[in-house]
Amino acid sequence: MRKLRHKKLYIPPLIWGKSGHIQTALYGKMGRVRSPHPYGHRKFITMSDGATSTFDLFEPLAEHCIGDDVTMVICPGIANHSEKQYIRTFVDYAQKNGYRCAVLNHLGALPNIELTSPRMFTYGCTWEFGAMVSYIKKTYPQTQLVVVGFSLGGNIVCKYLGETQANQERVLCCVSVCQGYSALRAQETFMQWDQCRRFYNFLMADNMKKIILSHRQVLFGNNVKKPQSLEDTDLSRLYTATSLMQIDDNVMRKFHGYNSLKEYYEEESCMRYLHRIYVPLMLVNAADDPLVHDSLLTIPRALSEKRENVMFVLPLHGGHLGFFEGAVLFPEPLTWMDKLVVQYANAICQWERNKSQCSDTEQMDADLE
């Protein structure tokens, strides 16, 4: 396919928009400004191991630009869900552009949904996302899919598509925003104080600890059939953990029986699967993202140079899932990221429609001859 060009430059707010830390802090603290409240229906799926996966389904609020039935299947960032403000803002915008949206709620992330098995979401587990996609395909047999992942969700959706060719059926395109591509490579940079990554690591680890401990009865209780490698001493180590790597090593990898943190990160990272994705793929990062070290960006850069279906978008500013817009001081409710994803999806849909029409015309000409 011929590579698409996005012509709208990202211009951050004048006073603070060129600081990746402020962009990231604003996203982390308040998500978005004046966030809408889209109305959706919560769906429940019982997984084979007894876990209860949930996702929220939002119907389109307008006709799609090409008049087709298109569903965005969305995977949020670490410990996030459909009620987060940046997800609500994006869903509302996508609905108004004619997209149905299905948003995965990471297992254990919703405070009002109890775990029903001793397992939580992990860095690269695609089971729940795959179950949501299967539900959408079965319920809406005519719909086509646009796959979207934010941060950790970007890793999950890319890994899902690359796991098997069948997962790419009826998929028009995929968009990944602000992911790091390789946890194995990222773990060393996450322990460095450069760009305050060690501080962000501590904050995210603290949040993960709170979520895990809120489910400790299900995960660590005496009457629970825990993974064989998960021991009571791991709960003690969890209390003292100050980094995501310590939590992953002592708890998360054991949900899936990995023998080491290295094995867990190697197997769960999407880097091993990116070359197996054949649908149009847009990988978006910000050069000033304090969470994603510059060395990790060689992965999408090299892939986009080798593969015609891959586009790598790297604005100078935006932070981690920020990309706020605004003239001077106050940010707009809608971000450049929201607009970019929808505009790319629209362009791919239009491209597919034109390609189909050209094929039909060529077939008619051939029949006439």
Side-chain angles (χ1 to χ4, degrees):
M1 63 171 289
R2 189 163 56 89
K3 293 205 175 186
L4 299 166
R5 294 190 181 275
H6 181 68
K7 296 181 180 179
K8 189 179 185 303
L9 297 175
Y10 172 51
I11 304 174
L14 183 62
I15 293 179
W16 51 267
K18 292 183 179 180
S19 168
H21 294 291
I22 295 179
Q23 291 252 18
T24 302
L26 279 176
Y27 147 71
K29 189 66 180 174
M30 68 179 189
R32 293 292 181 259
V33 217
R34 300 190 300 277
S35 180
H37 292 268
Y39 176 76
H41 296 280
R42 183 151 293 164
K43 305 293 182 180
F44 296 79
I45 300 176
T46 302
M47 308 297 291
S48 59
D49 65 347
T52 303
S53 176
T54 70
F55 70 92
D56 286 17
L57 190 60
F58 304 86
E59 292 298 329
L61 298 176
E63 185 176 351
H64 190 265
C65 63
I66 62 170
D68 285 353
D69 186 313
V70 186
T71 303
M72 283 193 174
V73 283
I74 302 164
C75 192
I78 184 170
N80 288 174
H81 43 73
S82 64
E83 296 174 12
K84 290 293 182 179
Q85 289 193 355
Y86 77 99
I87 294 293
R88 290 185 352 223
T89 299
F90 176 73
V91 165
D92 179 73
Y93 184 60
Q95 283 181 290
K96 290 173 179 175
N97 277 269
Y99 291 93
R100 179 186 299 108
C101 294
V103 183
L104 180 69
N105 300 310
H106 285 300
L107 203 60
L110 280 170
N112 59 336
I113 302 291
E114 295 290 332
L115 292 178
T116 56
S117 77
R119 179 173 68 83
M120 277 182 57
F121 76 92
T122 54
Y123 171 64
C125 180
T126 60
W127 297 351
E128 286 76 47
F129 185 75
M132 179 179 78
V133 171
S134 296
Y135 177 96
I136 295 298
K137 285 182 175 180
K138 183 178 180 181
T139 308
Y140 304 96
Q142 302 303 316
T143 198
Q144 293 181 295
L145 306 179
V146 172
V147 179
V148 182
F150 298 103
S151 194
L152 171 139
N155 179 72
I156 289 175
V157 300
C158 288
K159 181 172 178 281
Y160 169 77
L161 290 178
E163 283 176 338
T164 169
Q165 192 69 33
N167 289 350
Q168 298 177 49
E169 293 175 2
R170 290 166 58 185
V171 172
L172 292 170
C173 62
C174 174
V175 181
S176 161
V177 184
C178 288
Q179 69 150 308
Y181 306 99
S182 171
L184 191 63
R185 290 196 198 179
Q187 64 171 333
E188 184 178 337
T189 70
F190 241 42
M191 296 303 289
Q192 298 168 352
W193 283 100
D194 174 49
Q195 290 292 312
C196 299
R197 266 185 301 277
R198 183 64 183 89
F199 179 63
Y200 288 113
N201 188 358
F202 173 79
L203 293 178
M204 289 190 290
D206 191 56
N207 185 50
M208 276 300 300
K209 280 164 62 173
K210 290 175 182 175
I211 295 172
I212 295 171
L213 291 172
S214 72
H215 298 291
R216 60 180 170 270
Q217 197 56 44
V218 178
L219 297 174
F220 299 96
N222 294 326
N223 298 324
V224 173
K225 187 180 179 182
K226 294 174 284 191
Q228 290 183 349
S229 56
L230 195 61
E231 302 172 356
D232 293 335
T233 53
D234 294 321
L235 181 58
S236 302
R237 295 192 186 102
L238 176 64
Y239 281 108
T240 59
T242 61
S243 73
L244 288 174
M245 284 69 78
Q246 289 173 319
I247 295 174
D248 287 342
D249 195 21
N250 291 313
V251 179
M252 309 305 278
R253 70 173 175 85
K254 298 180 180 181
F255 290 141
H256 294 281
Y258 289 108
N259 295 317
S260 67
L261 186 63
K262 182 176 183 291
E263 180 189 14
Y264 171 63
Y265 283 161
E266 282 180 340
E267 295 296 323
E268 297 290 286
S269 292
C270 73
M271 189 176 78
R272 300 172 59 243
Y273 298 90
L274 288 170
H275 68 282
R276 302 181 193 171
I277 300 176
Y278 300 101
V279 298
L281 172 63
M282 182 169 70
L283 305 172
V284 184
N285 289 92
D288 66 353
D289 186 338
L291 302 186
V292 181
H293 191 270
D294 185 61
S295 62
L296 298 170
L297 301 182
T298 59
I299 298 169
R301 187 177 287 114
L303 187 72
S304 67
E305 290 170 356
K306 294 176 183 176
R307 302 289 298 275
E308 277 291 313
N309 65 308
V310 180
M311 175 190 292
F312 179 42
V313 180
L314 186 68
L316 292 175
H317 307 290
H320 191 77
L321 296 180
F323 300 103
F324 290 98
E325 290 187 312
V328 180
L329 184 60
F330 299 104
E332 298 291 336
L334 205 60
T335 70
W336 179 81
M337 175 187 79
D338 302 317
K339 299 172 189 175
L340 174 68
V341 176
V342 170
Q343 287 171 9
Y344 177 75
N346 286 346
I348 292 296
C349 290
Q350 192 64 58
W351 178 73
E352 286 287 345
R353 165 62 66 89
N354 293 342
K355 188 174 68 171
S356 175
Q357 289 176 344
C358 288
S359 298
D360 292 343
T361 302
E362 289 173 1
Q363 184 62 48
M364 288 175 62
D365 291 342
D367 291 343
L368 290 171
E369 291 175 2

